[in-house]
Amino acid sequence: MSRLVVVSNRVSLPDEHGSPPPGGMAIALSAALQRRHGLWMGWSGKVKAGEDPSGPISRREARGISYALTDLSQTDLDDYYYGFANRVLWPVFHCRVDLAEYSEARMSGYQRVNRLFAKLLQPLISDDDVIWVHDYHLIPLAKELRNLGCGNKIGFFLHIPWPAADILFTVPHYDDLLRGLSCYDLVGFHTDDDLSNFAECLRRQGLPDPITNGVCQAYGRVFRCGVFPIGIDTAEFERLAEQAARSETLQEPSQRIPGCKVAIGVDRLDYSKGIEKRIVAFDRFLRSNDHRIGKTQLLQITPKSRTEIPAYLAMQKDVAERVGRVDGELGTIDWMPVHYINRSVGPSELAGLYRMARVGLVTPLRDGMNLVAKEYVAAQDPQNPGVLVLSRFAGAARELGGAILVNPYDPEAMARAIEEALDMQLDERIDRWRAMIGRLREYNVYRWCDDFLLGLDQR
Ligand code: ADQ
């Protein structure tokens, strides 16, 4: 079996005891890397002082995996990560063209850091290594590696949606992104919609029939494209939730307000996650259901993210104000409609909170997959499961047919969905949950990882 080399913007390092990092994807990738005595390369998370340039590589070994990390200069970080990746690609790929802040400096910083990654990685690669590149930060990496003479198999997986042609074409030099992807041997997306958007972009570039049976011919190259919906470590989430259900501390939140049912939202504080509209919908739900006042609460757990970017700061303020308004207008001395927390919680606590929540509210405006939806389902009590209310614009909606699917732009419809979820009889809740858990057990994160690597090995 060839050695596996994973490249991603950030590297999930094991903790000081050598335990794998938290998060299903990091665990699955670590397991694959361990099996294949692999190498994981990426940004260390550290910024160089003053005018010092990015680089060089520093090495670490842990649990049979070799890590290659580089620090980045402040300019590289600003142009590449906070600039082109998160102020252009992230908003545009999530259909927020209005938030894109393109500049030539950001685009060239993005290319510069991809070139740097290629230069730092190339001496570490052997001829038969298989390379797996992750996400929108690193689309041009294969092209840069090919320029340095790298003939290895290189795969790419996009964790966010691929946009429709008219949306992509708003990015100046978008053609470089399409050309960049053509330098891989396998390009993976979460859903059929992403893949067909990608094909449509190529068609609009004048390629009449770009993808046949998963084989794409474009820009003088032949490569494969496929759909690989990411999963979670389902068995582990089921185990954690079962354990949490037996622990006294985790029963506490549901007992805090006796008889109060909880709807839970768990998201990074990101405009793609639809948090503001969810709070509006919850407010409508309460105002049109008097008997639920004091008896239902939205628990919204939302760690801050990308606070260096103005759109994120504006959103933080907006969400906090909305929560304040609802709590101020409807709250009582012993009950707050929205319990809003800006921090991360550990996996065990999270599993316990999912399990005690009667409704999982996962309503992104757009999302590549959304793992929270899957985690919520996996954490439910099989004898008394809660109900998932899920945005039709999350990739997870393609797999989780047992959810109540909603339009996250329609607060009235979301309010009705919350009501329907709370009123749903046990038989129906069990039927819907069973329809979803089977899929999650079969297509877990290990299967996702194996399927992608099998596709790449076969190339
Ligand atoms: P994200 O946009 O980060 O991922 P998501 O898929 O929901 O979104 O994953 C978030 C992860 O962070 C989940 O595992 C969740 O448990 C965890 N998390 C969120 N809030 C937390 C909190 N307060 N405390 C602890 N953990 C928390 C990107 C894409 C997604 C795609 C994933 C994987 O945007 O569409 O599903 O990659 O491909």
Side-chain angles (χ1 to χ4, degrees):
M1 204 188 282
S2 316
R3 186 176 74 142
L4 174 63
V5 176
V6 168
V7 192
S8 55
N9 173 58
R10 287 300 299 274
V11 173
S12 303
L13 291 164
D15 66 17
E16 65 273 20
H17 310 295
S19 303
M25 188 184 83
I27 290 170
L29 287 177
S30 300
L33 283 163
Q34 258 170 359
R35 271 200 314 270
R36 301 171 68 146
H37 307 289
L39 169 73
W40 194 338
M41 189 242 171
W43 173 40
S44 61
K46 295 191 190 121
V47 187
K48 282 292 188 79
E51 301 291 300
D52 285 358
S54 301
I57 282 288
S58 67
R59 299 294 294 269
R60 265 183 71 172
E61 306 286 326
R63 292 170 66 103
I65 303 173
S66 182
Y67 296 89
L69 306 169
T70 179
D71 300 351
L72 289 178
S73 71
Q74 190 65 54
T75 310
D76 281 348
L77 190 67
D78 287 345
D79 290 341
Y80 146 80
Y81 180 73
Y82 291 118
F84 194 72
N86 283 319
R87 276 163 136 134
V88 180
L89 294 181
W90 178 273
V92 171
F93 282 36
H94 287 88
C95 297
R96 291 299 305 269
V97 174
D98 58 314
L99 294 179
E101 298 173 70
Y102 177 86
S103 75
E104 295 286 330
R106 287 180 179 149
M107 175 70 177
S108 68
Y110 179 68
Q111 280 159 344
R112 185 172 68 243
V113 172
N114 272 270
R115 208 169 306 127
L116 171 80
F117 268 43
K119 201 176 105 204
L120 295 171
L121 182 62
Q122 198 245 359
L124 311 178
I125 297 172
S126 312
D127 284 350
D128 59 350
D129 285 351
V130 164
I131 304 170
W132 188 3
V133 178
H134 287 262
D135 229 359
Y136 59 103
H137 317 87
L138 299 172
I139 292 173
L141 186 62
K143 180 163 166 271
E144 298 297 344
L145 285 166
R146 303 284 183 223
N147 286 344
L148 298 175
C150 172
N152 297 58
K153 284 177 190 170
I154 316 180
F156 176 83
F157 187 79
L158 183 70
H159 290 264
I160 65 174
W162 186 270
D166 280 343
I167 304 271
L168 179 76
F169 293 176
T170 63
V171 179
H173 309 294
Y174 66 84
D175 193 40
D176 289 350
L177 299 170
L178 295 169
R179 272 177 201 282
L181 286 181
S182 75
C183 295
Y184 289 92
D185 294 295
L186 174 63
V187 176
F189 301 97
H190 280 307
T191 68
D192 288 333
D193 290 344
D194 299 320
L195 179 56
S196 64
N197 280 345
F198 178 62
E200 180 59 14
C201 289
L202 293 173
R203 221 171 278 125
R204 294 269 297 274
Q205 285 300 93
L207 301 162
D209 218 353
I211 303 178
T212 315
N213 296 329
V215 177
C216 183
Q217 297 199 40
Y219 305 106
R221 282 192 48 93
V222 180
F223 59 102
R224 290 191 42 237
C225 297
V227 172
F228 303 89
I230 196 170
I232 57 166
D233 188 345
T234 311
E236 177 63 3
F237 240 91
E238 289 184 81
R239 190 189 67 76
L240 285 175
E242 178 61 42
Q243 202 177 51
R246 281 185 263 114
S247 120
E248 276 177 22
T249 40
L250 278 161
Q251 283 168 7
E252 191 270 334
S254 57
Q255 290 165 359
R256 214 165 2 109
I257 310 167
C260 182
K261 288 187 176 148
V262 173
I264 193 167
V266 175
D267 322 71
R268 279 186 304 102
L269 191 42
D270 192 293
Y271 49 77
S272 66
K273 302 293 183 186
I275 301 167
E276 300 107 306
K277 289 189 165 44
R278 186 181 311 159
I279 290 160
V280 171
F282 194 73
D283 180 58
R284 299 265 166 99
F285 154 76
L286 286 174
R287 288 178 199 271
S288 50
N289 290 278
D290 277 356
H291 64 289
R292 300 283 188 192
I293 300 269
K295 300 222 156 32
T296 319
Q297 184 175 56
L298 171 60
L299 172 59
Q300 180 64 49
I301 307 179
T302 300
K304 290 181 183 166
S305 92
R306 302 178 194 162
T307 43
E308 291 76 1
I309 299 176
Y312 285 76
L313 283 175
M315 190 216 153
Q316 265 177 40
K317 190 162 167 281
D318 190 29
V319 173
E321 281 173 8
R322 271 174 209 274
V323 170
R325 220 171 300 139
V326 180
D327 282 349
E329 286 172 15
L330 298 179
T332 60
I333 297 296
D334 48 12
W335 169 78
M336 281 296 156
V338 185
H339 189 130
Y340 177 54
I341 305 171
N342 281 140
R343 68 172 176 90
S344 286
V345 294
S348 300
E349 191 181 357
L350 191 59
L353 292 170
Y354 284 143
R355 190 168 178 121
M356 96 33 221
R358 172 51 72 85
V359 183
L361 271 183
V362 182
T363 57
L365 305 178
R366 190 125 185 92
D367 219 326
M369 174 55 67
N370 195 296
L371 298 179
V372 170
K374 294 187 170 184
E375 292 165 0
Y376 176 77
V377 171
Q380 295 310 298
D381 178 355
Q383 317 302 325
N384 185 21
V387 180
L388 177 65
V389 173
L390 177 61
S391 162
R392 63 179 67 250
F393 304 121
R398 302 281 169 283
E399 293 172 84
L400 301 179
I404 301 179
L405 293 186
V406 290
N407 174 0
Y409 293 89
D410 182 347
E412 267 88 19
M414 278 202 283
R416 284 196 299 276
I418 297 168
E419 200 181 331
E420 184 188 340
L422 286 167
D423 286 342
M424 195 178 283
Q425 296 300 305
L426 180 63
D427 286 359
E428 186 177 351
R429 284 191 275 125
I430 290 177
D431 286 349
R432 283 173 177 265
W433 177 78
R434 282 194 183 142
M436 299 188 280
I437 192 69
R439 164 88 196 177
L440 296 184
R441 284 176 183 150
E442 195 180 347
Y443 288 90
N444 60 20
V445 71
Y446 299 101
R447 173 85 184 262
W448 166 78
C449 191
D450 290 348
D451 281 0
F452 187 91
L453 289 172
L454 196 66
L456 188 55
D457 282 334
Q458 281 169 351
R459 161 85 189 112

